Amino acid sequence: MRSFTYERATSAADAAARAAGTPGARFIAGGTNLLDLMKLEIETPGHLIDVNRLGLDRIEATDDGGLRIGALVRNTDLAADERVRRDYGLLSRALMAGASGQLRNKATTAGNLMQRTRCPYFYDTSQPCNKRKPGSGCSAIDGFSRQLGVVGVSDACIATHPSDMAVAMRALDAEVETVKPDGTSRAIPIADFHRLPGETPHVETVLEAGELITAVRLPAPVGGRHIYRKVRDRASYAFALVSVAAVVHPDGTGRVAVGGIAPKPWRVEAAERELPRGANSASAALLAGARPTEHNAFKLTLVERTLAAVLEEARS
């Protein structure tokens, strides 16, 4: 690990301003992803800004009947919150499906949204990777790509976003609240928060330089049956080959977002209109324009079968 400087922020606006004004600065809270990347020299920030003492660790009710989840709420606390378990069971189940208990005790809400891909070529610094070094090429496209993306990918990158929580947040229409270096704030629909790779896969979100996540806001509960199903190579903590986050109502309508197949949590509203017709029709709309490789083409069938299992569980 390379040497770096460190400071503790005193306010969210101060943290954002300091990050924008310090080349190579990064925010750190739980550090469950960033520290690994620093140890491998995939990321080499020259300055770390600790945001743990900013009071962003509360879950509060909102005037519209929803919840405001502070950026520093730990995954364990969020999954266990009575209101989340009662009204947003999808989110609680997704969090419990991710990582280990020790990691959930440290990982934060904002950090979960910001975590970087687990593509093996991204982690192998001897291999070209456009995410790690823009313009160097994508080793995964002609390499072993079983775990990687089939939709939303580009000629520059086929990596997937690893988060379970973000998939549930996408199905629930969350908004990401931030503060900019000039002290102004904004709310970003989670549908727009993560970027597709295109020709710039190293630009993964719409955040501006120094912009800090302060909270995630959930709208009022949508009711229905909340189901999160994760398919992975082993039952212990591992990243999804395919995951399905669904809210299904008694009439068969609902919402569905999919993980493990794209560079961002994947939701296609047109596919949701097909849910009453069954998994075959809905998955066809979800996967329109898919570009699988020879190693991960099985994911197309796996999405359909996982969605079928979710719909069957909802009916039961």
Side-chain angles (χ1 to χ4, degrees):
M1 186 183 291
R2 300 185 186 184
S3 61
F4 56 88
T5 54
Y6 168 90
E7 68 174 311
R8 287 176 175 157
T10 57
S11 70
D14 172 64
R18 288 181 177 273
T22 308
R26 289 291 307 273
F27 302 120
I28 187 167
T32 57
N33 188 203
L34 178 59
L35 290 178
D36 284 341
L37 296 174
M38 290 173 65
K39 290 173 184 177
L40 295 170
E41 296 195 355
I42 295 168
E43 293 201 25
T44 56
H47 185 65
L48 294 183
I49 301 172
D50 189 330
V51 296
N52 278 297
R53 300 188 179 187
L54 299 186
L56 304 176
D57 57 353
R58 292 185 289 272
I59 304 173
E60 303 166 311
T62 60
D63 292 339
D64 62 358
L67 288 179
R68 186 178 185 271
I69 302 162
L72 300 179
V73 173
R74 308 294 163 165
N75 287 178
T76 295
D77 295 332
L78 181 56
D81 186 89
E82 180 181 357
R83 295 160 294 183
V84 174
R85 294 176 63 190
R86 181 187 66 230
D87 298 328
Y88 307 95
L90 177 60
L91 176 57
S92 183
R93 293 182 177 96
L95 286 162
M96 293 303 295
S100 64
Q102 294 94 328
L103 287 170
R104 291 195 297 269
N105 288 343
K106 292 294 293 181
T108 63
T109 300
N112 198 306
L113 290 177
M114 292 295 293
Q115 65 180 303
R116 305 198 69 185
T117 184
R118 263 57 179 193
C119 173
Y121 297 99
F122 174 72
Y123 274 81
D124 185 350
T125 55
S126 68
Q127 300 286 336
C129 172
N130 287 320
K131 271 189 179 296
R132 195 177 61 248
K133 185 178 180 181
S136 63
C138 177
S139 300
I141 290 177
D142 294 321
F144 184 68
S145 52
R146 184 173 184 273
Q147 289 277 354
L148 302 179
V150 297
V151 66
V153 297
S154 73
D155 291 336
C157 183
I158 61 172
T160 56
H161 192 272
S163 173
D164 291 287
M165 184 199 79
V167 180
M169 293 283 198
R170 178 69 182 92
L172 294 170
D173 281 333
E175 282 190 339
V176 181
E177 296 182 1
T178 69
V179 62
K180 295 183 180 183
D182 63 1
T184 61
S185 60
R186 64 168 171 160
I188 307 166
I190 197 167
D192 302 327
F193 182 77
H194 296 102
R195 289 169 49 115
L196 293 178
E199 297 180 354
T200 56
H202 61 291
V203 183
E204 297 174 345
T205 72
V206 298
L207 293 179
E208 301 173 5
E211 192 169 4
L212 174 68
I213 298 173
T214 54
V216 174
R217 183 182 292 264
L218 295 176
V222 296
R225 183 83 179 272
H226 288 220
I227 299 171
Y228 188 78
R229 184 171 290 239
K230 182 177 181 179
V231 182
R232 44 193 161 180
D233 282 323
R234 54 196 172 98
S236 62
Y237 72 94
F239 299 100
L241 287 170
V242 165
S243 64
V244 172
V247 177
V248 185
H249 299 288
D251 61 0
T253 61
R255 304 177 181 183
V256 61
V258 183
I261 64 169
K264 61 187 291 186
W266 196 251
R267 182 179 173 192
V268 178
E269 279 76 2
E272 295 172 353
R273 294 192 287 271
E274 300 296 322
L275 284 176
R277 297 182 177 87
N280 184 279
S281 297
S283 60
L286 269 169
L287 298 170
R291 298 172 53 183
T293 68
E294 61 175 320
H295 297 128
N296 63 21
F298 73 93
K299 287 192 176 188
L300 305 183
T301 302
L302 188 57
V303 167
E304 181 182 342
R305 291 179 178 176
T306 307
L307 180 56
V310 165
L311 296 178
E312 178 61 29
E313 182 180 346
R315 286 193 292 270
S316 67

